[in-house]
Amino acid sequence: MLEINNLSKIYGEGENKVKALDNVSLSIEQGEVVLIVGSSGSGKSTLLNMIGLLDQPTNGKIFIDGTNTTTLDDNEISSFRNKKLGFIFQFSNLLTDLSVLENVLLPREIEGTNNTAEKDARDLLKTVGLEDQMYKRANKISGGQAQRVAIARGLINKPSIVLADEPTGNLDSVSSETIVQLMKSMAKKLNQTFIIVTHEKEIFGDVDRVITIKDGKAFEGDQPSKMEVLA
Amino acid sequence: MDYRLRLAKRMLFNKKSSLIGAVLAVTIGILVIHVNFVIFQGLFDAIVRDISDYRNGDILVTDDSDYIDKSDLSLVNWFERIPYVEAATPRLSSTAEINMTKNGMRFEETRIPIVGVDPFRDIRASTVHETVSEGNYVFSRNSIVLGSNVAKDLGGAQVGDSVKVKVVDRWGEDQIRRFTVSGIAKSPGGQGFDYTVVIHIDTLRDMMSRPGDTSSLMVKLNDPSKAFEVKEFFLRSFPNDDFLAETIEESAEQQLAGFRSGIAMINMIGYFGMGSSAFAILTIQIMLVNGKTKEIGIMRAIGAKRKDILLIFIFQGIIIGAIGAGVGTAAGLSYTVYADVTKMSFNNSLPLEVTYNWEKIIQTALTSFALAIIASLYPSYRATKKLPVEAMRTV
């Protein structure tokens, strides 16, 4: 499913050089819900951006469904992101010029396969409990609702992996709980892989795996005494 | 509808001030050209119309040796057999001294242009008779029509007054005759007979001792576009005579040359205006792209390619161009219609000749449309260069 080999990311040059990721290797299987935790600036979002092909690694390789993504050109990366990856961002990042339904439909429209797009989008919005909000403009709904729309948008193309960057970071506790439960139920229902970056590990409760990023290195688990270096 | 077009439309229509600004930029560019065209081209066309209607006709025939000695009747008949010819009329021109005594005071004017006309043919080939605002056109051998300025300079000559006209004949002798004022000619613009007097052609011939001579033959066509064809046919038909035949463009070339360069300059200013509109669109589009940086990042993250982003902003340029060209053309046409209906004139000058030059109207609209798209290319290109991660960090 996902295999990362010796991944490094260095920002800056010379004396300003910062090693955001240091020789990280890990693999994640289909249907796993994985939390990536760590302190601010530890490199967890950088790792997520690398997996999401939003940024280029300095060294190392990322295989998704057997494809070495580090060799893809810009157009192939865009297509790959569209078909194989779903994104849920901290601030939902919906397009405010579009309606809720149009936001969910967008990845499918970009892909260019529209046969069942609207039905799938409606079904997903029903699943996330927003069937009565689908014609509202995306800036007219609450933060919690927007994050649910983002989940639906992230799932519309049936991606291999859904990447969530602090999905509850901007929500109140009630909305956060709703989003967490929704992601976990979707993961179970669709056998969907979720990789979630968070610093609010507690509200996710039991998940399949927890990976801790510390000083650019990845460790299995979240208890310092039990952490195993992933390399 | 393609999602890129829908997004372009939504992004644009949700930023109404930017949309209105960009559309106005295109609209004003087109309007400036239309207004320039109506006013200056309209003025030019009106001058051409008046020169043609009052003085030169569509074809002006003269002779290399000052006077045409061939029978004017035979020439007129020759022309009027051609289907494109509406009418032809002979004219004889000279200068005169005129004096009049009114209320015991003697008024005298020298070097006044005097034109002899055939009253029956002239009213068919020329509209000078329509400029006679008081009284009648020349109808007898001793009647005279005074231009309004001549009448004024003669102490306010009126219809029925008696004036003395002195011309020098071909032998250098003064010839004096008394005329009764039959009418006063007054016309807007500078091409009418306001500074001229008009008498019967045969009277002038007698006074100049030039029986049967004609200065020029004014030929009016029912289809002015055939002027060159008719002129060439005429010259080919009289190869042994010293006739000169000129179309209105040729005979009025000197009078029109200055106007032509003026119009070219004004049009150039109009096109510079259009160029400025393109810069305005460029600026507005850059602002729109900057304002949508985050959205660009989101779209790239969920799989949109660079060309998709490029298309969204080019579609915006197309929408701006289409609306601007439509509104600008509609505004320009409305102005043209207004000028036409109200017989628009400036400072009591001649009414503008309003013509709907569809070729120019379409050309202006298409140029503006194309400029709006071209002006959108650079901002669109800039939009594609934004990296998703950095773009999404934008608040």
Side-chain angles (χ1 to χ4, degrees):
Chain A
M1 153 81 0
L2 169 68
E3 195 176 323
I4 295 173
N5 295 333
N6 306 316
L7 194 72
S8 296
K9 177 68 181 178
I10 299 168
Y11 292 111
E13 285 176 358
E15 288 180 0
N16 298 322
K17 202 184 273 184
V18 177
K19 214 166 195 176
L21 288 177
D22 186 6
N23 220 24
V24 171
S25 296
L26 57 87
S27 64
I28 292 170
E29 296 306 319
Q30 174 76 40
E32 279 188 311
V33 174
V34 180
L35 289 190
I36 297 178
V37 297
S39 55
S40 288
S42 59
K44 54 189 191 301
S45 286
T46 302
L47 176 62
L48 200 76
N49 287 339
M50 299 291 154
I51 298 169
L53 314 185
L54 296 171
D55 207 350
Q56 293 285 324
T58 309
N59 285 309
K61 288 175 181 170
I62 300 168
F63 292 88
I64 298 173
D65 287 347
T67 302
N68 181 0
T69 61
T70 49
T71 61
L72 301 176
D73 66 22
D74 192 71
N75 275 345
E76 289 168 333
I77 285 173
S78 295
S79 293
F80 200 90
R81 272 200 298 258
N82 177 250
K83 293 186 177 91
K84 298 281 186 180
L85 303 169
F87 291 89
I88 301 163
F89 303 100
Q90 182 177 355
F91 295 99
S92 77
N93 281 353
L94 300 180
L95 297 188
T96 53
D97 294 298
L98 300 180
S99 69
V100 165
L101 179 63
E102 286 166 338
N103 264 286
V104 178
L105 272 169
L106 194 58
R108 191 68 73 83
E109 289 186 306
I110 290 170
E111 189 189 16
T113 51
N114 294 315
N115 293 344
T116 59
E118 191 158 334
K119 183 185 174 298
D120 293 348
R122 284 170 189 278
D123 289 348
L124 275 168
L125 283 170
K126 197 173 177 184
T127 309
V128 299
L130 289 173
E131 67 269 36
D132 56 342
Q133 306 286 321
M134 61 177 80
Y135 297 112
K136 275 192 178 170
R137 251 180 83 176
N139 59 351
K140 301 288 182 197
I141 55 176
S142 69
Q145 288 173 325
Q147 208 57 305
R148 283 191 272 161
V149 177
I151 291 171
R153 183 180 68 185
L155 291 168
I156 183 82
N157 274 357
K158 301 181 177 66
S160 300
I161 306 168
V162 173
L163 303 163
D165 189 3
E166 305 278 9
T168 58
N170 197 40
L171 302 177
D172 59 60
S173 57
V174 178
S175 299
S176 295
E177 181 62 28
T178 310
I179 293 301
V180 167
Q181 292 314 316
L182 186 60
M183 285 196 289
K184 288 173 88 172
S185 71
M186 296 300 262
K188 197 171 179 184
K189 189 175 165 188
L190 303 170
N191 193 29
Q192 177 69 60
T193 310
F194 273 84
I195 300 175
I196 303 161
V197 164
T198 185
H199 57 264
E200 297 173 310
K201 181 189 156 289
E202 299 71 27
I203 63 166
F204 283 85
D206 286 340
V207 291
D208 296 319
R209 280 172 77 188
V210 176
I211 293 170
T212 302
I213 305 291
K214 192 178 177 190
D215 298 330
K217 291 183 183 297
F219 301 88
E220 187 76 49
D222 62 332
Q223 300 294 320
S225 56
K226 297 177 186 172
M227 282 199 308
E228 177 191 343
V229 179
L230 289 164
Chain B
M1 186 193 290
D2 185 281
Y3 77 92
R4 289 161 293 203
L5 179 58
R6 186 174 66 228
L7 253 176
K9 204 177 85 180
R10 293 278 179 82
M11 284 179 176
L12 204 52
F13 281 80
N14 288 337
K15 280 268 180 197
K16 285 196 176 61
S17 53
S18 299
L19 175 67
I20 291 169
V23 165
L24 271 181
V26 182
T27 301
I28 289 167
I30 294 178
L31 196 58
V32 166
I33 289 186
H34 275 248
V35 169
N36 282 343
F37 187 74
V38 168
I39 293 174
F40 293 98
Q41 186 66 44
L43 208 55
F44 178 87
D45 290 345
I47 289 167
V48 171
R49 173 196 66 200
D50 286 358
I51 293 174
S52 167
D53 285 352
Y54 299 156
R55 294 178 181 274
N56 294 11
D58 295 309
I59 300 169
L60 186 70
V61 178
T62 53
D63 194 288
D64 230 1
S65 58
D66 287 350
Y67 294 97
I68 299 168
D69 52 13
K70 212 176 194 70
S71 155
D72 62 325
L73 189 64
S74 67
L75 285 173
V76 166
N77 287 340
W78 185 91
F79 270 113
E80 290 188 349
R81 278 202 301 272
I82 300 172
Y84 299 134
V85 175
E86 193 173 306
T89 188
R91 281 186 175 172
L92 184 63
S93 306
S94 186
T95 53
E97 278 181 36
I98 304 176
N99 66 67
M100 187 181 92
T101 304
K102 193 162 187 177
N103 301 328
M105 286 179 71
R106 188 168 184 276
F107 297 92
E108 186 174 301
E109 285 297 308
T110 57
R111 301 196 63 78
I112 301 293
I114 183 166
V115 177
V117 301
D118 175 340
F120 303 104
R121 295 188 188 282
D122 211 81
I123 59 172
R124 292 174 58 225
S126 159
T127 57
V128 170
H129 64 284
E130 291 173 9
T131 68
V132 178
S133 53
E134 297 168 39
N136 298 300
Y137 198 41
V138 174
F139 57 85
S140 66
R141 285 185 170 236
N142 68 343
S143 67
I144 187 168
V145 169
L146 303 180
S148 56
N149 290 320
V150 178
K152 196 171 135 196
D153 292 344
L154 288 174
Q158 291 174 333
V159 174
D161 286 348
S162 177
V163 295
K164 262 190 199 166
V165 175
K166 181 172 87 178
V167 296
V168 180
D169 69 10
R170 67 191 302 180
W171 316 116
E173 299 292 324
D174 288 349
Q175 299 292 332
I176 300 170
R177 283 209 190 179
R178 186 170 285 281
F179 291 86
T180 303
V181 177
S182 65
I184 309 289
K186 185 173 172 59
S187 59
Q191 305 307 319
F193 278 27
D194 296 17
Y195 289 93
T196 307
V197 297
V198 186
I199 62 171
H200 197 292
I201 192 168
D202 288 338
T203 311
L204 190 56
R205 279 173 179 153
D206 287 347
M207 291 175 78
M208 293 171 68
S209 303
R210 289 196 171 276
D213 280 0
T214 306
S215 299
S216 62
L217 203 68
M218 182 180 163
V219 183
K220 196 76 187 160
L221 304 182
N222 46 36
D223 181 0
S225 68
K226 302 290 182 190
F228 186 78
E229 210 176 307
V230 174
K231 176 195 107 167
E232 290 296 309
F233 179 53
F234 170 72
L235 291 174
R236 278 200 309 274
S237 304
F238 296 91
N240 299 322
D241 292 278
D242 292 330
F243 289 131
L244 293 174
E246 295 170 301
T247 60
I248 181 70
E249 286 81 12
E250 293 162 342
S251 61
E253 177 58 31
Q254 279 188 326
Q255 287 156 283
L256 301 179
F259 258 99
R260 280 214 180 88
S261 8
I263 289 170
M265 196 187 77
I266 295 294
N267 275 341
M268 201 173 71
I269 292 170
Y271 282 109
F272 271 120
M274 214 180 243
S276 308
S277 304
F279 274 109
I281 293 167
L282 179 83
T283 310
I284 291 167
Q285 280 278 63
I286 287 175
M287 283 163 59
L288 280 169
V289 167
N290 288 341
K292 292 294 177 188
T293 300
K294 188 168 187 174
E295 281 80 352
I296 293 167
I298 297 166
M299 291 202 60
R300 294 278 285 133
I302 61 175
K305 297 183 175 73
R306 289 186 196 276
K307 74 163 194 282
D308 298 321
I309 304 298
L310 185 80
L311 272 177
I312 288 171
F313 289 97
I314 286 178
F315 278 143
Q316 287 196 349
I318 291 173
I319 293 168
I320 291 168
I323 298 175
V327 173
T329 304
L333 277 176
S334 306
Y335 182 80
T336 313
V337 169
Y338 172 76
D340 194 18
V341 169
T342 58
K343 303 280 176 227
M344 188 184 281
S345 63
F346 291 90
N347 298 326
N348 296 321
S349 180
L350 69 175
L352 302 180
E353 180 76 8
V354 178
T355 47
Y356 297 95
N357 186 334
W358 291 109
E359 192 186 328
K360 181 138 185 113
I361 289 166
I362 291 167
Q363 184 196 333
T364 307
L366 288 179
T367 307
S368 299
F369 179 64
L371 276 177
I373 296 170
I374 291 167
S376 300
L377 291 179
Y378 174 66
S380 308
Y381 172 75
R382 264 174 62 129
T384 68
K385 290 291 164 197
K386 294 189 184 295
L387 296 172
V389 173
E390 287 170 14
M392 278 191 295
R393 282 195 198 116
T394 311
V395 179

